[in-house]
Amino acid sequence: YLSFTILSNYLSICVILIFKTQNMQFLKTKEVANIFGCTQRNVALMVKAGKLKPVNNHKDFFLFDANEIELFNSKKKLINER
């Protein structure tokens, strides 16, 4: 089990490095929570509900495309202004 966890973490890091070479910027769950003004748990619940899609499928942490978060947040602000 331990070696599977290590392999899983390694693969997640490889995916991150591949995406970074494509000039994508990533945000951690805590950073997304700060942008949205909510808790990290609320961000995880948004992922579970399908409202947010992380760029990785890791069970211990999420990484989000900064552009997607910015777009989501701007749409959320527009809805709240109505």
Side-chain angles (χ1 to χ4, degrees):
Y1 177 75
L2 180 60
S3 60
F4 177 75
T5 303
I6 292 169
L7 178 61
S8 177
N9 287 340
Y10 175 76
L11 291 175
S12 293
I13 291 169
C14 289
V15 168
I16 293 166
L17 292 174
I18 291 168
F19 281 130
K20 281 200 177 220
T21 61
Q22 297 174 355
N23 294 325
M24 290 180 73
Q25 184 178 14
F26 296 100
L27 299 172
K28 297 177 186 175
T29 305
K30 184 175 184 175
E31 295 168 317
V32 174
N34 287 337
I35 291 169
F36 291 168
C38 67
T39 65
Q40 293 181 51
R41 178 70 180 139
N42 285 341
V43 173
L45 290 172
M46 285 188 252
V47 170
K48 186 175 181 179
K51 294 179 181 179
L52 290 178
K53 179 147 177 57
V55 295
N56 66 338
N57 287 327
H58 198 279
K59 68 177 184 122
D60 294 330
F61 66 93
F62 295 123
L63 291 173
F64 300 91
D65 179 356
N67 293 328
E68 291 294 321
I69 296 302
E70 185 179 327
L71 180 63
F72 182 89
N73 197 36
S74 63
K75 287 180 182 178
K76 189 175 96 170
K77 285 181 180 179
L78 284 173
I79 291 170
N80 289 338
E81 288 177 358
R82 292 181 184 178

Short mmCIF file of all heavy atoms in Angstrom, two decimals, residues 5 7-8 13-15 20-21 24-25 32 35 41-42 45 52 73 75:
data_model
loop_
_atom_site.label_atom_id
_atom_site.label_comp_id
_atom_site.label_asym_id
_atom_site.label_seq_id
_atom_site.Cartn_x
_atom_site.Cartn_y
_atom_site.Cartn_z
N THR A 5 0.97 4.47 -2.70
CA THR A 5 0.81 5.88 -2.33
C THR A 5 1.98 6.71 -2.86
O THR A 5 1.78 7.79 -3.40
CB THR A 5 0.71 6.03 -0.80
OG1 THR A 5 -0.37 5.22 -0.34
CG2 THR A 5 0.50 7.47 -0.39
N LEU A 7 3.88 5.95 -5.42
CA LEU A 7 3.73 6.00 -6.88
C LEU A 7 2.65 6.99 -7.29
O LEU A 7 2.83 7.77 -8.23
CB LEU A 7 3.39 4.61 -7.42
CG LEU A 7 3.17 4.51 -8.93
CD1 LEU A 7 4.43 4.93 -9.69
CD2 LEU A 7 2.75 3.11 -9.31
N SER A 8 1.54 7.00 -6.57
CA SER A 8 0.45 7.92 -6.86
C SER A 8 0.91 9.37 -6.71
O SER A 8 0.61 10.22 -7.55
CB SER A 8 -0.73 7.63 -5.94
OG SER A 8 -1.76 8.54 -6.15
N ILE A 13 2.85 14.46 -9.28
CA ILE A 13 3.90 15.46 -9.48
C ILE A 13 4.29 15.51 -10.96
O ILE A 13 4.49 16.59 -11.52
CB ILE A 13 5.12 15.17 -8.58
CG1 ILE A 13 4.73 15.42 -7.12
CG2 ILE A 13 6.32 16.00 -8.98
CD1 ILE A 13 5.74 14.92 -6.12
N CYS A 14 4.37 14.36 -11.61
CA CYS A 14 4.70 14.32 -13.04
C CYS A 14 3.65 15.06 -13.85
O CYS A 14 3.98 15.82 -14.77
CB CYS A 14 4.81 12.88 -13.52
SG CYS A 14 6.28 12.04 -12.91
N VAL A 15 2.39 14.86 -13.51
CA VAL A 15 1.30 15.55 -14.21
C VAL A 15 1.43 17.06 -14.02
O VAL A 15 1.29 17.83 -14.97
CB VAL A 15 -0.07 15.05 -13.73
CG1 VAL A 15 -1.18 15.94 -14.22
CG2 VAL A 15 -0.29 13.62 -14.19
N LYS A 20 2.82 22.38 -16.11
CA LYS A 20 3.57 23.62 -15.92
C LYS A 20 4.37 23.96 -17.17
O LYS A 20 4.59 25.13 -17.46
CB LYS A 20 4.49 23.51 -14.71
CG LYS A 20 3.76 23.72 -13.41
CD LYS A 20 4.70 24.08 -12.32
CE LYS A 20 3.88 24.35 -11.08
NZ LYS A 20 4.36 25.46 -10.34
N THR A 21 4.79 22.95 -17.90
CA THR A 21 5.53 23.24 -19.12
C THR A 21 4.63 23.87 -20.17
O THR A 21 5.10 24.46 -21.13
CB THR A 21 6.18 21.97 -19.70
OG1 THR A 21 5.18 21.03 -20.02
CG2 THR A 21 7.18 21.37 -18.74
N MET A 24 0.62 26.70 -17.56
CA MET A 24 -0.58 26.77 -16.74
C MET A 24 -0.16 27.13 -15.32
O MET A 24 0.91 26.72 -14.86
CB MET A 24 -1.31 25.44 -16.73
CG MET A 24 -1.96 25.10 -18.04
SD MET A 24 -2.81 23.51 -17.99
CE MET A 24 -4.23 23.92 -17.02
N GLN A 25 -1.00 27.87 -14.65
CA GLN A 25 -0.74 28.21 -13.25
C GLN A 25 -1.75 27.45 -12.41
O GLN A 25 -2.94 27.41 -12.73
CB GLN A 25 -0.88 29.71 -13.04
CG GLN A 25 -0.52 30.12 -11.64
CD GLN A 25 -0.61 31.62 -11.46
OE1 GLN A 25 -1.18 32.32 -12.29
NE2 GLN A 25 -0.08 32.11 -10.37
N VAL A 32 -7.67 28.59 -3.40
CA VAL A 32 -9.00 28.75 -3.98
C VAL A 32 -9.98 29.20 -2.90
O VAL A 32 -10.81 30.09 -3.12
CB VAL A 32 -9.47 27.44 -4.65
CG1 VAL A 32 -10.91 27.56 -5.12
CG2 VAL A 32 -8.56 27.10 -5.82
N ILE A 35 -9.61 32.86 -2.28
CA ILE A 35 -10.19 33.65 -3.38
C ILE A 35 -11.70 33.71 -3.24
O ILE A 35 -12.32 34.77 -3.41
CB ILE A 35 -9.79 33.06 -4.74
CG1 ILE A 35 -8.28 33.28 -4.98
CG2 ILE A 35 -10.60 33.67 -5.87
CD1 ILE A 35 -7.73 32.51 -6.16
N ARG A 41 -12.99 23.06 3.10
CA ARG A 41 -14.04 22.03 3.06
C ARG A 41 -15.11 22.40 2.03
O ARG A 41 -15.60 21.54 1.30
CB ARG A 41 -14.66 21.86 4.46
CG ARG A 41 -15.78 20.87 4.52
CD ARG A 41 -15.28 19.46 4.35
NE ARG A 41 -16.40 18.54 4.43
CZ ARG A 41 -16.55 17.49 3.65
NH1 ARG A 41 -15.63 17.18 2.76
NH2 ARG A 41 -17.59 16.72 3.75
N ASN A 42 -15.48 23.68 1.99
CA ASN A 42 -16.48 24.12 1.01
C ASN A 42 -15.97 23.93 -0.42
O ASN A 42 -16.73 23.57 -1.32
CB ASN A 42 -16.87 25.57 1.23
CG ASN A 42 -17.79 25.74 2.42
OD1 ASN A 42 -18.41 24.79 2.87
ND2 ASN A 42 -17.86 26.95 2.94
N LEU A 45 -16.35 20.35 -1.20
CA LEU A 45 -17.76 20.05 -1.46
C LEU A 45 -18.18 20.52 -2.85
O LEU A 45 -19.00 19.87 -3.51
CB LEU A 45 -18.65 20.68 -0.39
CG LEU A 45 -18.54 20.04 1.00
CD1 LEU A 45 -19.31 20.87 2.03
CD2 LEU A 45 -19.03 18.61 0.98
N LEU A 52 -16.79 22.51 -9.39
CA LEU A 52 -15.38 22.79 -9.70
C LEU A 52 -14.73 21.49 -10.16
O LEU A 52 -15.06 20.42 -9.65
CB LEU A 52 -14.63 23.29 -8.46
CG LEU A 52 -14.96 24.66 -7.92
CD1 LEU A 52 -14.15 24.95 -6.66
CD2 LEU A 52 -14.68 25.72 -8.96
N ASN A 73 -15.09 32.39 -10.43
CA ASN A 73 -15.30 33.44 -9.43
C ASN A 73 -15.98 34.66 -10.05
O ASN A 73 -16.85 35.28 -9.43
CB ASN A 73 -13.98 33.83 -8.78
CG ASN A 73 -14.17 34.58 -7.49
OD1 ASN A 73 -15.09 34.29 -6.73
ND2 ASN A 73 -13.29 35.53 -7.22
N LYS A 75 -18.04 34.65 -12.64
CA LYS A 75 -19.43 34.29 -12.86
C LYS A 75 -20.22 34.33 -11.56
O LYS A 75 -21.36 34.79 -11.53
CB LYS A 75 -19.53 32.89 -13.47
CG LYS A 75 -19.10 32.81 -14.91
CD LYS A 75 -19.22 31.39 -15.43
CE LYS A 75 -18.77 31.27 -16.85
NZ LYS A 75 -18.85 29.87 -17.33
#
